[in-house]
Amino acid sequence: MNPVSFDFGNAVMHFRKTGGPKGFLLRYGATYVLLYLVLSAVSLWLQWPMYGAMFDPAVMDDPVAMEAAMMGHMGRVMLGYLVLLPLGLAFWMVFEGASQRRYMRAEGFHLRLGADEWRLLVVGLIWFGLFIGLYIGGIVAVLVPMGIAAATGTGEGAIIGGVLAFVLAIAYMIFVLWLCARFSPAAALTVRDRKIQFGDAWRVTRGKAWTIVGSWIVLGLIMSVVFFLFYLIFVVAIVASLMPMMSGMESEDPSLVFRALLAPGVLIPGALLLVGMVFLQACGMHIYSGPAALAARTDPEWADHQAIDDTFV
């Protein structure tokens, strides 16, 4: 792998500078879509009785019948959640592992459930705990000044409290972004060092956090534009196909509406929209990990032993 320095431009485009076999992003996105559809089909099958009741014309307009139908299928719904939770975790683990191995080891695309993935699961659980703490902190940051203002019992105090709460909310969001940037290389470091790393990310991102945040913002804006344009193209096609059928309906019969939604002119663009959006989401997940992975890759205290061995063979 060619050495890449850490700067804003390289952080934004790092997904194209990983080295390794070509075609990774295409395979990553396509496989993500395929397994996503399989997982969605499993979810639909497990919870089909509930969906069937929701779209049953005889039940839709009867709250008592709807509640009875939901309660009658609650056991299968709970079973669905119990099955989907580990499947969803495994889904995230294998794709996160493939993404980080690409960044840190320049590997081609392949999925596996090995030691890297289980270590990444621990890192993910640490992130989950951190996000819960940050969420609670955000609530406190907004409510405390508002509570103090309410205690004054004056209109001026309420205005000051509201303004202060707004300022603190913005400041807190900036702090959260900065804190997440400081720990963002944790997954990359875990794959790089083949051991669970989280706290060491703080050292790796020293002097790099705002560059990472800036690259996230730029990547987020670019992805938002791509998502919007892609979404707009297919929504226009769906609406153009749906409007003639809907205008010809003399009633709002749910079965007729459902039949119109299943027409090829609506179903095909809708399916392509779903597949395309999931593909873009998968690619975005991998691309978004690039800045943090570059920070781990350019860690001055890490020696790339494989590159050293290749140099002195």
Side-chain angles (χ1 to χ4, degrees):
M1 178 183 294
N2 295 327
V4 178
S5 61
F6 185 89
D7 57 44
F8 179 78
N10 284 334
V12 172
M13 300 300 296
H14 185 49
F15 71 98
R16 299 193 61 185
K17 302 178 180 180
T18 59
K22 296 185 181 301
F24 176 89
L25 195 60
L26 178 61
R27 294 186 180 93
Y28 185 93
T31 308
Y32 188 99
V33 169
L34 178 62
L35 293 185
Y36 177 90
L37 293 176
V38 171
L39 197 62
S40 298
V42 172
S43 174
L44 184 62
W45 177 76
L46 288 170
Q47 301 187 11
W48 179 251
M50 182 181 68
Y51 293 129
M54 291 174 62
F55 291 101
D56 185 350
V59 177
M60 291 173 63
D61 298 327
D62 188 342
V64 176
M66 177 65 75
E67 182 179 356
M70 291 298 167
M71 294 303 296
H73 298 301
M74 189 57 65
R76 181 161 177 173
V77 171
M78 295 304 298
L79 175 63
Y81 285 132
L82 291 175
V83 171
L84 291 172
L85 179 60
L87 288 178
L89 283 174
F91 184 85
W92 173 80
M93 289 161 63
V94 296
F95 279 96
E96 181 68 10
S99 177
Q100 296 299 341
R101 279 192 296 272
R102 175 65 169 189
Y103 281 123
M104 302 314 300
R105 303 176 194 165
E107 293 186 8
F109 176 74
H110 61 274
L111 300 180
R112 66 170 183 256
L113 193 59
D116 283 334
E117 285 71 23
W118 290 108
R119 286 189 285 261
L120 287 171
L121 175 61
V122 176
V123 172
L125 292 175
I126 296 173
W127 273 113
F128 181 72
L130 179 61
F131 285 142
I132 291 177
L134 290 171
Y135 180 76
I136 295 173
I139 295 175
V140 172
V142 173
L143 291 183
V144 168
M146 294 182 67
I148 295 174
T152 64
T154 64
E156 293 80 0
I159 293 174
I160 293 173
V163 172
L164 183 58
F166 176 77
V167 172
L168 285 177
I170 297 298
Y172 191 76
M173 285 190 289
I174 295 173
F175 165 74
V176 168
L177 277 175
W178 174 81
L179 187 67
C180 290
R182 291 304 305 264
F183 289 113
S184 60
L189 292 172
T190 296
V191 170
R192 187 195 75 180
D193 298 340
R194 291 182 170 86
K195 63 180 181 180
I196 297 169
Q197 295 276 34
F198 198 88
D200 204 42
W202 187 268
R203 174 189 61 79
V204 170
T205 55
R206 188 177 295 117
K208 301 176 180 178
W210 291 119
T211 302
I212 294 174
V213 170
S215 63
W216 283 348
I217 293 173
V218 170
L219 287 172
L221 291 174
I222 294 172
M223 291 175 194
S224 296
V225 171
V226 172
F227 270 95
F228 175 76
L229 292 177
F230 186 84
Y231 178 81
L232 185 64
I233 291 170
F234 282 94
V235 166
V236 168
I238 293 171
V239 171
S241 299
L242 191 59
M243 287 303 293
M245 291 181 285
M246 298 296 292
S247 62
M249 291 183 183
E250 298 180 355
S251 66
E252 296 182 0
D253 186 347
S255 62
L256 294 178
V257 175
F258 190 67
R259 192 178 307 159
L261 293 174
L262 293 179
V266 176
L267 194 60
I268 293 174
L272 291 176
L273 174 63
L274 172 64
V275 169
M277 294 293 277
V278 174
F279 178 83
L280 290 175
Q281 174 188 328
C283 294
M285 287 168 51
H286 176 70
I287 292 170
Y288 218 69
S289 297
L294 180 61
R297 186 76 202 178
T298 56
D299 177 10
E301 296 187 16
W302 177 58
D304 186 352
H305 298 290
Q306 181 178 355
I308 294 173
D309 293 341
D310 291 343
T311 301
F312 292 97
V313 168

